[in-house]
Amino acid sequence: MRVLAAMSGGVDSAVAAALAVEAGHEVVGVHMALSRNREQFRAGSRGCCSIEDAGDARRAADVLGIPYYVWDLSERFEDTVVADFLSEYEAGRTPNPCVRCNEHIKFEALLDKATALGFDAVATGHYAQVVTREVTETGPDGEPVTRTVRELHRSPNEAKDQSYVLAVMGPERLARSIFPLGGFASKDEVREEAERRGLSVSNKPDSYDICFVSDGDTQGFLRSRLGARTGEIVNTEGEVLGEHEGAYAFTVGQRKGLALGRPAADGKPRYVLEVEPVSNRVVVGPAELLTVDRIVGDRSVWLADDVLAAAGWDRAASVSGTHDGAEPGEGTRAASDWFEATVQVRAHGAPVPARARAVVGPAADASGAAPAQGGGMEVELTGETLRGVAAGQSLVVYQGTRVVGQSTVQRAYRAARATSLAG
């Protein structure tokens, strides 16, 4: 195959490209320039996309003996990932820029451009596994038809597993993606592989945090882009406890940075419970009010048609908005049957037992008010609860190690209470 290897300048992507070459593919390396100001982007192990990173990627490509190019995707990155980050925070939601980067840049802009240039697949240094299996079905003429199914699974390297941020890619793009690091159980193994191959990035530190906030000051970045907007910090009774310079700088579950100056009456820490963008208020309260047991998501992406089919889901119904799975009393809402799963709401959060189902159209909350239209999912936690789930977070559903689907959190509901935490 002709494979385009995305080379960030780090050890993971360099080894992934090396393994693609070793597998016999015709490989071309490409570095994505995502910053309009790359000289200012790396500070130690923070950030990425610096001239240093582009140089490291070039040296790795030279060692591997493959062609190497730099593609300027900075405008696309600014208009999608950074713009989404700002607009979501401004709307009182909590975005995950890594999810959006995978969606809009690595597996949309990059993959689509690679396909247009005649490449068969894109290889990246993500820690995830693609498992293929043969499925035999009955064809239109009644004869058995065998097809290959590609599944996205967690990496055996639990500390580095990136299936959570990859879940948004969808089955079509998964079919054209290669993750050569899927079988590695630790980062040390990858570094040893790089050293064995003479790659100078073998000991390069990992980048972390938000790549376009290289100093780690997210609130400062938001303030510089959105401006200061003084508002109130209140408790659940509406009592004013303090002021802030912009509700957009807070997220549900946040404890630090409230600067209230006086403790709660019970002496316990306060946490952000709600962010109200219209009133520019931040509501704080005790930790127990962060506990949720039901989540509704929208903009869903499904990666396991067989799981949905077993739950009575019909893709045609997802377009028409009608479905036999609608339960009594649910009006026109269409839904699949519930299926057992585990769910995860943070990149390295612990998965928790749940049941989930696909939903078409509005899913009314306890008050009868319906959120925005759009295909989504509903999740009910069946074991332990979760804390601090914020609108805008990515909700990923698994069965075992397999990714079933992904959705963007629209609302989360307090355990044993009917009050919506976010909306």
Side-chain angles (χ1 to χ4, degrees):
M1 289 196 303
R2 294 192 70 220
V3 173
L4 186 73
M7 302 183 72
S8 66
V11 62
D12 294 330
S13 61
V15 172
L19 293 174
V21 171
E22 189 175 81
H25 301 305
E26 180 186 342
V27 180
V28 173
V30 64
H31 177 79
M32 293 177 287
L34 303 181
S35 167
R36 294 173 179 173
N37 241 333
R38 289 186 292 281
E39 296 90 339
Q40 303 174 7
F41 255 51
R42 179 171 284 279
S45 57
R46 292 184 185 271
C48 64
C49 312
S50 67
I51 289 178
E52 171 199 345
D53 294 318
D56 287 341
R58 177 177 293 279
R59 283 185 285 275
D62 288 343
V63 170
L64 299 177
I66 61 174
Y68 170 82
Y69 300 92
V70 175
W71 287 357
D72 185 357
L73 298 178
S74 59
E75 185 174 347
R76 180 69 175 269
F77 185 79
E78 179 74 25
D79 292 345
T80 55
V81 179
V82 178
D84 175 81
F85 183 81
L86 293 170
S87 64
E88 287 289 274
Y89 266 112
E90 194 170 23
R93 295 159 65 90
T94 302
N96 187 314
C98 292
V99 171
R100 296 299 160 232
C101 185
N102 281 317
E103 177 183 12
H104 296 300
I105 304 300
K106 295 173 183 173
F107 298 106
E108 185 175 304
L110 181 69
L111 184 53
D112 289 353
K113 187 172 181 179
T115 301
L117 291 173
F119 288 92
D120 301 299
V122 165
T124 72
H126 287 98
Y127 286 83
Q129 293 190 95
V130 175
V131 175
T132 59
R133 60 187 178 88
E134 301 297 318
V135 176
T136 301
E137 301 171 330
T138 302
D141 57 358
E143 295 296 317
V145 176
T146 300
R147 64 185 179 92
T148 301
V149 174
R150 290 171 66 86
E151 301 175 352
L152 179 63
H153 285 253
R154 291 186 186 276
S155 164
N157 184 351
E158 295 182 4
K160 289 289 185 179
D161 173 55
Q162 292 172 295
S163 60
Y164 173 87
V165 297
L166 291 172
V168 73
M169 67 193 306
E172 293 79 14
R173 292 193 168 96
L174 178 63
R176 293 181 288 152
S177 303
I178 300 173
F179 307 121
L181 303 188
F184 285 82
S186 73
K187 183 61 175 273
D188 288 342
E189 291 180 11
V190 176
R191 292 192 182 281
E192 289 170 5
E193 187 74 18
E195 186 174 6
R196 185 177 70 81
R197 294 173 181 272
L199 298 169
S200 61
V201 291
S202 60
N203 291 315
K204 185 175 180 178
D206 293 341
S207 60
Y208 63 96
D209 289 338
I210 302 167
C211 67
F212 52 87
V213 185
S214 58
D215 61 0
D217 183 8
T218 301
Q219 289 196 12
F221 177 82
L222 291 170
R223 196 176 301 114
S224 71
R225 292 294 192 99
L226 300 176
R229 304 175 190 176
T230 303
E232 298 174 340
I233 300 177
V234 303
N235 61 19
T236 54
E237 286 73 42
E239 178 188 0
V240 178
L241 304 177
E243 287 189 345
H244 60 75
E245 295 185 353
Y248 53 73
F250 296 84
T251 186
V252 171
Q254 179 177 332
R255 174 183 174 184
K256 296 181 179 180
L258 299 179
L260 297 178
R262 57 191 173 100
D266 59 6
K268 295 181 179 179
R270 298 185 183 94
Y271 298 80
V272 175
L273 302 180
E274 296 182 58
V275 177
E276 301 175 351
V278 176
S279 63
N280 196 29
R281 294 200 314 173
V282 175
V283 182
V284 300
E288 54 265 26
L289 293 184
L290 288 172
T291 303
V292 304
D293 60 3
R294 177 173 172 251
I295 306 169
V296 174
D298 60 5
R299 293 182 285 171
S300 295
V301 176
W302 298 100
L303 288 162
D305 280 354
D306 55 320
V307 174
L308 295 183
W313 187 246
D314 181 354
R315 281 206 179 274
S318 71
V319 176
S320 66
T322 58
H323 196 277
D324 293 338
E327 295 181 356
E330 290 184 326
T332 60
R333 183 177 65 178
S336 74
D337 297 330
W338 293 100
F339 57 87
E340 297 301 310
T342 58
V343 298
Q344 189 171 324
V345 295
R346 294 176 180 86
H348 297 291
V352 298
R355 64 175 191 161
R357 64 177 177 179
V359 174
V360 170
D365 64 19
S367 67
Q373 289 274 359
M377 71 169 66
E378 293 182 354
V379 165
E380 291 184 354
L381 306 184
T382 56
E384 58 191 290
T385 54
L386 287 170
R387 275 191 175 182
V389 179
Q393 285 180 281
S394 184
L395 169 67
V396 179
V397 175
Y398 294 83
Q399 284 192 337
T401 62
R402 183 187 183 187
V403 175
V404 176
Q406 182 271 351
S407 194
T408 300
V409 174
Q410 186 182 69
R411 299 187 179 190
Y413 297 85
R414 292 176 181 154
R417 297 181 63 173
T419 307
S420 170
L421 279 175

Tab-separated table of all heavy atoms in Angstrom, residues 332-358:
chain	number	residue	atom	x	y	z
A	332	THR	N	-42.464	10.853	19.856
A	332	THR	CA	-41.891	10.534	18.555
A	332	THR	C	-40.425	10.147	18.634
A	332	THR	O	-39.791	9.967	17.619
A	332	THR	CB	-42.018	11.754	17.619
A	332	THR	OG1	-41.319	12.853	18.209
A	332	THR	CG2	-43.471	12.125	17.403
A	333	ARG	N	-39.906	10.054	19.839
A	333	ARG	CA	-38.484	9.737	19.935
A	333	ARG	C	-38.217	8.319	19.454
A	333	ARG	O	-38.929	7.381	19.803
A	333	ARG	CB	-37.990	9.882	21.376
A	333	ARG	CG	-36.496	9.622	21.498
A	333	ARG	CD	-36.011	9.828	22.898
A	333	ARG	NE	-36.601	8.858	23.804
A	333	ARG	CZ	-36.304	8.799	25.097
A	333	ARG	NH1	-35.465	9.652	25.611
A	333	ARG	NH2	-36.867	7.896	25.876
A	334	ALA	N	-37.184	8.151	18.657
A	334	ALA	CA	-36.769	6.835	18.186
A	334	ALA	C	-35.527	6.416	18.939
A	334	ALA	O	-34.632	7.229	19.171
A	334	ALA	CB	-36.490	6.877	16.691
A	335	ALA	N	-35.452	5.149	19.331
A	335	ALA	CA	-34.296	4.685	20.089
A	335	ALA	C	-34.090	3.203	19.872
A	335	ALA	O	-35.021	2.448	19.605
A	335	ALA	CB	-34.491	4.959	21.584
A	336	SER	N	-32.856	2.779	19.996
A	336	SER	CA	-32.560	1.353	19.988
A	336	SER	C	-32.896	0.779	21.350
A	336	SER	O	-33.234	1.512	22.286
A	336	SER	CB	-31.076	1.128	19.678
A	336	SER	OG	-30.271	1.478	20.803
A	337	ASP	N	-32.775	-0.527	21.475
A	337	ASP	CA	-32.868	-1.144	22.793
A	337	ASP	C	-31.600	-0.808	23.578
A	337	ASP	O	-30.567	-0.460	23.002
A	337	ASP	CB	-32.996	-2.671	22.661
A	337	ASP	CG	-34.263	-3.077	21.939
A	337	ASP	OD1	-35.270	-2.334	22.030
A	337	ASP	OD2	-34.238	-4.126	21.256
A	338	TRP	N	-31.678	-0.952	24.889
A	338	TRP	CA	-30.497	-0.751	25.726
A	338	TRP	C	-29.525	-1.908	25.527
A	338	TRP	O	-29.935	-3.054	25.320
A	338	TRP	CB	-30.895	-0.698	27.203
A	338	TRP	CG	-31.724	0.491	27.581
A	338	TRP	CD1	-33.074	0.525	27.738
A	338	TRP	CD2	-31.252	1.817	27.857
A	338	TRP	NE1	-33.477	1.787	28.101
A	338	TRP	CE2	-32.386	2.597	28.189
A	338	TRP	CE3	-29.992	2.420	27.861
A	338	TRP	CZ2	-32.298	3.952	28.513
A	338	TRP	CZ3	-29.900	3.760	28.191
A	338	TRP	CH2	-31.033	4.521	28.506
A	339	PHE	N	-28.230	-1.619	25.568
A	339	PHE	CA	-27.228	-2.683	25.547
A	339	PHE	C	-26.185	-2.399	26.624
A	339	PHE	O	-25.938	-1.244	26.992
A	339	PHE	CB	-26.564	-2.813	24.162
A	339	PHE	CG	-25.895	-1.558	23.655
A	339	PHE	CD1	-24.564	-1.265	23.979
A	339	PHE	CD2	-26.590	-0.676	22.836
A	339	PHE	CE1	-23.947	-0.122	23.501
A	339	PHE	CE2	-25.977	0.481	22.361
A	339	PHE	CZ	-24.654	0.754	22.690
A	340	GLU	N	-25.592	-3.473	27.150
A	340	GLU	CA	-24.621	-3.345	28.234
A	340	GLU	C	-23.291	-2.842	27.691
A	340	GLU	O	-22.871	-3.221	26.589
A	340	GLU	CB	-24.425	-4.694	28.933
A	340	GLU	CG	-25.684	-5.230	29.615
A	340	GLU	CD	-26.223	-4.277	30.658
A	340	GLU	OE1	-25.423	-3.825	31.512
A	340	GLU	OE2	-27.436	-3.964	30.617
A	341	ALA	N	-22.626	-2.001	28.479
A	341	ALA	CA	-21.377	-1.396	28.023
A	341	ALA	C	-20.616	-0.833	29.213
A	341	ALA	O	-21.047	-0.954	30.365
A	341	ALA	CB	-21.690	-0.273	27.024
A	342	THR	N	-19.467	-0.233	28.932
A	342	THR	CA	-18.797	0.642	29.887
A	342	THR	C	-18.634	1.988	29.186
A	342	THR	O	-18.598	2.057	27.955
A	342	THR	CB	-17.414	0.122	30.322
A	342	THR	OG1	-16.581	-0.033	29.158
A	342	THR	CG2	-17.535	-1.207	31.052
A	343	VAL	N	-18.558	3.064	29.975
A	343	VAL	CA	-18.432	4.389	29.380
A	343	VAL	C	-17.266	5.136	30.017
A	343	VAL	O	-16.888	4.881	31.159
A	343	VAL	CB	-19.725	5.218	29.527
A	343	VAL	CG1	-20.867	4.537	28.810
A	343	VAL	CG2	-20.069	5.457	30.985
A	344	GLN	N	-16.726	6.069	29.244
A	344	GLN	CA	-15.582	6.857	29.687
A	344	GLN	C	-15.822	8.307	29.252
A	344	GLN	O	-16.230	8.562	28.119
A	344	GLN	CB	-14.307	6.314	29.039
A	344	GLN	CG	-13.011	6.881	29.569
A	344	GLN	CD	-11.809	6.129	29.015
A	344	GLN	OE1	-11.864	4.907	28.813
A	344	GLN	NE2	-10.716	6.835	28.764
A	345	VAL	N	-15.571	9.267	30.153
A	345	VAL	CA	-15.838	10.669	29.842
A	345	VAL	C	-14.575	11.533	29.873
A	345	VAL	O	-14.650	12.733	29.685
A	345	VAL	CB	-16.898	11.272	30.791
A	345	VAL	CG1	-18.243	10.603	30.589
A	345	VAL	CG2	-16.450	11.182	32.236
A	346	ARG	N	-13.419	10.921	30.118
A	346	ARG	CA	-12.147	11.642	30.080
A	346	ARG	C	-11.112	10.755	29.399
A	346	ARG	O	-11.209	9.533	29.434
A	346	ARG	CB	-11.687	12.029	31.486
A	346	ARG	CG	-12.605	13.041	32.154
A	346	ARG	CD	-12.183	13.357	33.593
A	346	ARG	NE	-13.082	14.332	34.196
A	346	ARG	CZ	-14.226	14.029	34.798
A	346	ARG	NH1	-14.603	12.761	34.879
A	346	ARG	NH2	-14.977	14.978	35.306
A	347	ALA	N	-10.092	11.400	28.826
A	347	ALA	CA	-9.119	10.655	28.022
A	347	ALA	C	-8.486	9.510	28.790
A	347	ALA	O	-8.261	8.435	28.239
A	347	ALA	CB	-8.047	11.606	27.500
A	348	HIS	N	-8.167	9.721	30.049
A	348	HIS	CA	-7.566	8.652	30.848
A	348	HIS	C	-8.388	8.382	32.105
A	348	HIS	O	-7.859	7.954	33.130
A	348	HIS	CB	-6.120	9.011	31.192
A	348	HIS	CG	-5.248	9.132	29.982
A	348	HIS	ND1	-4.892	8.052	29.202
A	348	HIS	CD2	-4.706	10.216	29.380
A	348	HIS	CE1	-4.155	8.463	28.192
A	348	HIS	NE2	-4.026	9.765	28.271
A	349	GLY	N	-9.683	8.626	31.996
A	349	GLY	CA	-10.582	8.317	33.094
A	349	GLY	C	-10.888	6.832	33.150
A	349	GLY	O	-10.727	6.105	32.172
A	350	ALA	N	-11.340	6.394	34.301
A	350	ALA	CA	-11.679	4.981	34.469
A	350	ALA	C	-13.039	4.690	33.829
A	350	ALA	O	-13.988	5.452	34.025
A	350	ALA	CB	-11.717	4.635	35.952
A	351	PRO	N	-13.144	3.611	33.051
A	351	PRO	CA	-14.449	3.242	32.497
A	351	PRO	C	-15.377	2.729	33.593
A	351	PRO	O	-14.927	2.085	34.545
A	351	PRO	CB	-14.101	2.140	31.499
A	351	PRO	CG	-12.812	1.559	31.990
A	351	PRO	CD	-12.073	2.687	32.642
A	352	VAL	N	-16.657	3.034	33.480
A	352	VAL	CA	-17.626	2.601	34.484
A	352	VAL	C	-18.755	1.829	33.803
A	352	VAL	O	-19.109	2.115	32.659
A	352	VAL	CB	-18.196	3.794	35.282
A	352	VAL	CG1	-17.093	4.513	36.045
A	352	VAL	CG2	-18.915	4.768	34.371
A	353	PRO	N	-19.338	0.830	34.493
A	353	PRO	CA	-20.421	0.035	33.903
A	353	PRO	C	-21.641	0.896	33.606
A	353	PRO	O	-21.974	1.816	34.368
A	353	PRO	CB	-20.730	-1.007	34.987
A	353	PRO	CG	-19.522	-1.019	35.874
A	353	PRO	CD	-18.973	0.359	35.848
A	354	ALA	N	-22.317	0.578	32.501
A	354	ALA	CA	-23.481	1.365	32.106
A	354	ALA	C	-24.325	0.556	31.139
A	354	ALA	O	-23.938	-0.531	30.698
A	354	ALA	CB	-23.042	2.670	31.453
A	355	ARG	N	-25.471	1.087	30.819
A	355	ARG	CA	-26.220	0.620	29.662
A	355	ARG	C	-26.433	1.833	28.762
A	355	ARG	O	-26.537	2.971	29.238
A	355	ARG	CB	-27.543	-0.033	30.054
A	355	ARG	CG	-28.557	0.884	30.735
A	355	ARG	CD	-29.848	0.135	30.962
A	355	ARG	NE	-30.933	1.023	31.367
A	355	ARG	CZ	-32.237	0.710	31.283
A	355	ARG	NH1	-32.590	-0.475	30.804
A	355	ARG	NH2	-33.153	1.560	31.670
A	356	ALA	N	-26.431	1.582	27.458
A	356	ALA	CA	-26.498	2.675	26.508
A	356	ALA	C	-27.467	2.328	25.393
A	356	ALA	O	-27.828	1.168	25.190
A	356	ALA	CB	-25.103	2.945	25.931
A	357	ARG	N	-27.888	3.362	24.677
A	357	ARG	CA	-28.709	3.137	23.497
A	357	ARG	C	-28.575	4.312	22.543
A	357	ARG	O	-28.282	5.441	22.947
A	357	ARG	CB	-30.178	2.924	23.859
A	357	ARG	CG	-30.885	4.114	24.498
A	357	ARG	CD	-32.340	3.775	24.737
A	357	ARG	NE	-33.062	4.853	25.402
A	357	ARG	CZ	-34.358	4.790	25.688
A	357	ARG	NH1	-35.056	3.704	25.374
A	357	ARG	NH2	-34.958	5.800	26.286
A	358	ALA	N	-28.762	4.018	21.262
A	358	ALA	CA	-28.753	5.058	20.240
A	358	ALA	C	-30.107	5.739	20.215
A	358	ALA	O	-31.145	5.107	20.419
A	358	ALA	CB	-28.447	4.438	18.883
